[in-house]
Amino acid sequence: MTRKIIRNGRIVTAVDDYTADLLIDDGCIVAIGRALDVGADVEVIDAAGMLVLPGGVDCHTHMDNTFGDSTTCDSFESGTRSAAFGGTTTIVDFAFQRKGVSVLEAIERARAKGADGACIDYGFHVIVTGVDDQALADMQHAIRHEGVSSFKMFMAYPGSVMVDDAAIFQAMRMVGQHGGMIALHAENGTIIELLIKEALAQGHTAPKYHALTRPAIMEGEATHRGIKLAELADAPVYFVHLSAREALKHVVEARDMGVPVFAETCPHYLFFDDSAYDSEDFDLARYVMSPPLRSKESQQALWTALRTDDLQLVSTDHCPFCMKEGHLGRVNQKPYGRNDFSKIPNGVPGVETRMATLYDGGVRAGRISLNRFVELVSTAPSKLFGLFPQKGTIAVGSDADLVIFDPDAPHVISAKTQHGNCDFTLFEGRGVTGQVKKVLLRGELIVDGDRWLGKTGSGRYVARGESGGW
Ligand code: URP
Ligand code: ZN
Ligand code: ZN
Ligand code: ZN
């Protein structure tokens, strides 16, 4: 591979902000300095006036994931290409342990998908739906030998993926001893199930009832319960897609007490609120994700928590299902729940819009600093999930995963100009300032303006180190 030099960019990490050149060789950053003297054979990329950021790390995506009868509409290929255009160079997606598929087989299957399709680097968490001696042994093996140090468990969706408190506690206790971490989907599944039954019995079938049957108070309850289980297990715990201030308050309280509790929120909770559920229209199926959109007060609390490190990072929970049945041949998408909101597949796309929306709505709006932005989208996820310092920063020896970002370029977000398979984005028509211009993956230019230069299957599996430390 030819050597490259990125000249005169404003290099921003979670802690630095200076103008310099970056020399890249063999996929890594090998030198950083002012007016670096290199030979004529070195390819020059001019970054004057641009920000040079570490590639985004999105540790919550669902490419080609199946939930019930529905499969997300992005393949590994389309989803990772879309991620790249949004400035993300590493994802941590999910392998799925389910009936007849062990934890280790789940990893093997997920890795095969990644090897065929990934356009950026990737790792996996395992969704664990059953805990027995074999599963516990496999989890330990996965941490030590497979580079999988985090496991998602669901406190919601009884009858499909939900596990009980004892299972969560057992898993926490084991992984906590071996450098792993449990990530929890914290909602009270049995209460939600009851509320759904009652709503449907009253003839309430529209998408808005998805939100009304998943109360914030029960996200708070489950979050509190998850923290107590982690304390008892003496293990770190991570809350995915935290949305409600009723949940946040327990995270804040635990962290103040020194308990290793971590949490992410997602752009949809930062930019949309429950006023979206204002009619019985089926078009609101686009806002069906779990947890649902919350109050304006919750939204305000999430922004504050991002600034004060009560929330550590922003992931997308990219879980796209099309609004139009049959789009690109995909079936059982959002219209699958036209007559019953509980059948609408849960999830929204977001992997391509994370960095631009958070830059515009966070940094430009004065809610978070530029360094904090980099920490939230790249450095913190890398540290928490065992990817740092290979990923998540700009430093000598780190992978040359880099985003050249124009902080002053205005653009309008639209599903039509995005690169994934989903036929909608919640951000349709939103004007933002700050745009990804070029993306390098281990030194290879994969995005150059509108041009896709990456290669399907060239993303590499990243074996992760321990999770849950800093
Ligand atoms: O609605 C969501 N979040 N769907 C994806 C699955 C999950 O719970 O993260
Ligand atoms: Zn092995
Ligand atoms: Zn979840
Ligand atoms: Zn998810």
Side-chain angles (χ1 to χ4, degrees):
M1 175 206 278
T2 54
R3 296 200 298 163
K4 289 191 182 71
I5 188 161
I6 301 177
R7 292 273 191 207
N8 294 314
R10 181 176 161 199
I11 296 168
V12 181
T13 70
V15 291
D16 308 300
D17 188 342
Y18 56 89
T19 297
D21 302 339
L22 279 178
L23 183 63
I24 298 164
D25 193 6
D26 203 22
C28 292
I29 297 164
V30 293
I32 305 174
R34 287 239 159 95
L36 286 179
D37 192 12
V38 294
D41 61 318
V42 176
E43 187 185 330
V44 178
I45 297 175
D46 177 27
M50 300 285 145
L51 305 182
V52 181
L53 312 173
V57 176
D58 189 342
C59 62
H60 190 161
T61 63
H62 299 277
M63 309 307 178
D64 191 18
N65 283 192
T66 298
F67 298 93
D69 297 332
S70 302
T71 299
T72 55
C73 66
D74 265 323
S75 62
F76 237 85
E77 179 183 12
S78 68
T80 53
R81 188 179 57 225
S82 179
F85 273 99
T88 289
T89 49
T90 304
I91 58 168
V92 186
D93 206 273
F94 292 91
F96 213 133
Q97 176 229 23
R98 52 181 112 218
K99 261 198 185 38
V101 183
S102 72
V103 167
L104 295 179
E105 277 170 298
I107 295 170
E108 206 177 295
R109 289 185 188 193
R111 284 191 62 168
K113 274 191 218 173
D116 285 346
C119 303
I120 61 172
D121 290 356
Y122 59 94
F124 297 101
H125 317 276
V126 179
I127 292 176
V128 175
T129 60
V131 173
D132 55 17
D133 288 347
Q134 187 61 50
L136 289 168
D138 283 0
M139 289 159 84
Q140 188 179 332
H141 182 87
I143 298 169
R144 286 279 167 259
H145 305 290
E146 307 290 340
V148 173
S149 56
S150 46
F151 305 86
K152 181 176 179 185
M153 300 178 87
F154 284 86
M155 302 169 91
Y157 305 114
S160 89
V161 291
M162 187 171 113
V163 287
D164 66 18
D165 294 349
I168 295 169
F169 170 70
Q170 273 186 295
M172 283 174 162
R173 191 171 53 184
M174 199 287 300
V175 304
Q177 284 167 11
H178 294 94
M181 181 162 67
I182 298 298
L184 287 178
H185 176 126
E187 288 187 294
N188 186 312
T190 57
I191 296 296
I192 289 168
E193 193 72 354
L194 174 77
L195 297 178
I196 290 173
K197 262 201 198 120
E198 289 178 352
L200 290 173
Q202 290 168 50
H204 294 152
T205 59
K208 68 179 283 188
Y209 297 99
H210 169 79
L212 293 173
T213 54
R214 307 186 89 90
I217 191 172
M218 300 319 287
E219 185 188 345
E221 181 279 328
T223 303
H224 181 258
R225 185 156 37 100
I227 291 169
K228 293 299 144 188
L229 294 172
E231 278 186 64
L232 188 66
D234 194 19
V237 61
Y238 182 79
F239 291 95
V240 292
H241 49 50
L242 189 144
S243 65
R245 66 178 172 161
E246 289 83 348
L248 178 63
K249 88 174 179 191
H250 297 297
V251 170
V252 173
E253 185 183 274
R255 288 177 63 81
D256 286 350
M257 299 290 288
V259 183
V261 175
F262 308 95
E264 67 181 19
T265 191
C266 313
H268 39 275
Y269 303 119
L270 295 167
F271 292 101
F272 301 90
D273 61 64
D274 58 5
S275 63
Y277 304 115
D278 62 352
S279 80
E280 305 257 334
D281 199 317
F282 185 74
D283 193 56
L284 299 191
R286 69 182 62 235
Y287 297 109
V288 169
M289 79 290 280
S290 291
L293 300 175
R294 301 301 195 188
S295 67
K296 290 188 173 67
E297 291 75 21
S298 275
Q299 189 181 67
Q300 198 50 52
L302 296 178
W303 277 113
T304 303
L306 288 178
R307 194 170 65 240
T308 57
D309 204 38
D310 287 321
L311 289 175
Q312 290 69 53
L313 57 108
V314 176
S315 310
T316 60
D317 195 7
H318 179 81
C319 192
F321 298 100
C322 292
M323 282 297 288
K324 194 165 166 292
E325 195 66 16
H327 181 249
L328 299 176
R330 300 299 194 275
V331 296
N332 298 347
Q333 301 288 296
K334 295 286 191 183
Y336 190 58
R338 183 169 286 286
N339 301 313
D340 174 352
F341 69 86
S342 72
K343 293 200 162 63
I344 300 170
N346 291 190
V348 289
V351 78
E352 190 165 342
T353 44
R354 180 179 65 139
M355 301 213 4
T357 55
L358 196 67
Y359 179 81
D360 181 74
V363 180
R364 285 186 61 91
R367 289 170 164 137
I368 52 171
S369 72
L370 185 54
N371 295 116
R372 181 63 179 159
F373 165 74
V374 173
E375 187 163 37
L376 290 170
V377 298
S378 180
T379 317
S382 296
K383 287 184 174 177
L384 201 51
F385 290 103
L387 294 161
F388 189 84
Q390 183 188 351
K391 308 291 187 189
T393 196
I394 296 174
V396 171
S398 291
D399 283 357
D401 295 346
L402 298 162
V403 176
I404 299 181
F405 190 87
D406 183 342
D408 301 314
H411 57 114
V412 176
I413 296 172
S414 172
K416 289 187 191 66
T417 50
Q418 291 200 354
H419 303 82
N421 283 347
C422 200
D423 59 358
F424 78 96
T425 160
L426 293 187
F427 295 97
E428 186 68 38
R430 181 180 294 244
V432 295
T433 297
Q435 189 171 33
V436 172
K437 290 294 183 189
K438 292 182 201 289
V439 178
L440 290 89
L441 175 70
R442 286 177 274 101
E444 296 287 357
L445 191 62
I446 59 170
V447 170
D448 189 7
D450 294 334
R451 286 196 307 150
W452 174 241
L453 303 175
K455 283 190 223 63
T456 303
S458 67
R460 282 192 198 154
Y461 176 71
V462 200
R464 296 183 289 121
E466 297 191 349
S467 284
W470 281 99

